[in-house]
C-alpha cells in the first residue's frame, strides 16, 4: 500500500476561482460562499489533484503525506 495524501484548502487564502473544480471536478467542490473543499481530504495520490494544486492561482491547496505530514505540494524548499 502506497502513501496516502491529506488534501487541504486554506479558506483564508481561497478566492473561489473554481480552477480546482474545473481541473479535478470529482475531487473539489465549491460551497455557497465559493470556497473550495476537497471531496475526500485523505486519499490515494492523484495526478488530477496535483494538477489542481499546481494550478491554483493563490496556492490555497496543500498536499501532505497523511501518515507523516511531510509536504508533497507545495514542496519544502
Amino acid at each position: 500500500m502506497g502513501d496516502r495524501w491529506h488534501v487541504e484548502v486554506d479558506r483564508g487564502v481561497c478566492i473561489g476561482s473554481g480552477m480546482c473544480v474545473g481541473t479535478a471536478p470529482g475531487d473539489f467542490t465549491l460551497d455557497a460562499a465559493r470556497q473550495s473543499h476537497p471531496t475526500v481530504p485523505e486519499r490515494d495520490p492523484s495526478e488530477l489533484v496535483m494538477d489542481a494544486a499546481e494550478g491554483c492561482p493563490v496556492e490555497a491547496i496543500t498536499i501532505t503525506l497523511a501518515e507523516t505530514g511531510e509536504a508533497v505540494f507545495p514542496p519544502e524548499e
Side-chain angles (χ1 to χ4, degrees):
M1 184 174 196
D3 292 323
R4 292 192 43 92
W5 285 356
H6 178 78
V7 181
E8 191 170 337
V9 177
D10 185 335
R11 293 177 57 91
V13 175
C14 178
I15 60 171
S17 72
M19 294 286 293
C20 56
V21 175
T23 302
D27 299 305
F28 293 91
T29 60
L30 293 179
D31 64 17
R34 293 201 48 85
Q35 295 289 296
S36 176
H37 300 274
T39 56
V40 180
E42 190 171 314
R43 55 168 309 116
D44 290 329
S46 161
E47 189 173 325
L48 286 178
V49 171
M50 179 60 78
D51 289 347
E54 290 174 341
C56 178
V58 293
E59 297 183 353
I61 301 169
T62 58
I63 303 170
T64 56
L65 294 180
E67 190 172 313
T68 66
E70 179 183 341
V72 174
F73 185 86
E76 293 179 346
E77 295 182 28

